[in-house]
Amino acid sequence: MGLFDAFKKSSSAAPAANPDTQELDFMSAIEAHVRWKVRLENYIEGKCEEKLDPEIVCQDNQCILGKWIYGAGQKYKDNPLFDEIRVVHTEFHKGAAQIIRMSDAGEKTAAMDMVQRGDHYKNSQRIKSKLARLHIELKGGEE
């Protein structure tokens, strides 16, 4: 069984939670960051009706994962994997803001490349993998 298969199995019955007060719904956090790819692609292609503000997008404490990292998740701050997630998550949001700025400046090809193959894509993959690993690790500690 692969990492994501184990993750899906262990998280399938997990209820959604308020990240400020309880445990994180890891699947929701992963899905939210996966949706950023489509959101950024649509923005670059001019298919996005919302105006993405890079000054807001670059803040890593506004999404469900970021609120958890800087809130209830702090109880895991001594876990090296938690710290890795925090660092990659920060880079993910900085990268998304950079992509928006590039798109706004007319550098649409370069922006799309970052979304689909560049550092932002790599950070997105890292977040998913590290969140799945942390979830499995934390679930293992509960048994």
Side-chain angles (χ1 to χ4, degrees):
M1 175 167 35
L3 175 65
F4 287 106
D5 292 330
F7 168 73
K8 288 177 184 176
K9 181 179 179 185
S10 68
S11 68
S12 62
N18 178 342
D20 294 326
T21 59
Q22 298 177 11
E23 287 306 308
L24 178 67
D25 178 344
F26 283 81
M27 185 59 94
S28 292
I30 288 173
E31 289 171 351
H33 285 83
V34 168
R35 285 191 299 272
W36 266 105
K37 181 178 187 282
V38 173
R39 196 173 180 190
L40 289 169
E41 287 172 342
N42 286 339
Y43 186 82
I44 293 165
E45 293 172 349
K47 298 177 184 174
C48 183
E49 297 196 14
E50 67 182 315
K51 172 65 178 140
L52 297 177
D53 182 346
E55 299 307 314
I56 293 172
V57 171
C58 74
Q59 298 175 27
D60 69 337
N61 63 351
Q62 299 301 302
C63 66
I64 189 170
L65 177 56
K67 289 177 181 178
W68 180 78
I69 287 171
Y70 295 105
Q74 282 295 297
K75 66 184 172 185
Y76 304 113
K77 68 183 178 185
D78 294 331
N79 182 314
L81 189 53
F82 176 85
D83 193 54
E84 291 173 26
I85 290 169
R86 184 191 55 76
V87 170
V88 173
H89 185 250
T90 298
E91 292 304 313
F92 175 90
H93 279 277
K94 286 180 185 177
Q98 181 183 7
I99 289 165
I100 293 165
R101 288 185 189 104
M102 290 171 71
S103 180
D104 289 349
E107 301 172 34
K108 297 192 181 294
T109 301
M112 190 65 81
D113 188 60
M114 284 183 66
V115 172
Q116 295 177 341
R117 290 175 289 285
D119 287 343
H120 189 266
Y121 171 80
K122 292 172 188 169
N123 285 330
S124 179
Q125 298 301 319
R126 287 181 188 118
I127 286 174
K128 291 186 295 186
S129 175
K130 289 178 186 303
L131 279 173
R133 284 179 40 215
L134 182 62
H135 178 71
I136 291 167
E137 183 179 307
L138 296 178
K139 281 293 203 183
E142 290 177 3
E143 297 175 340

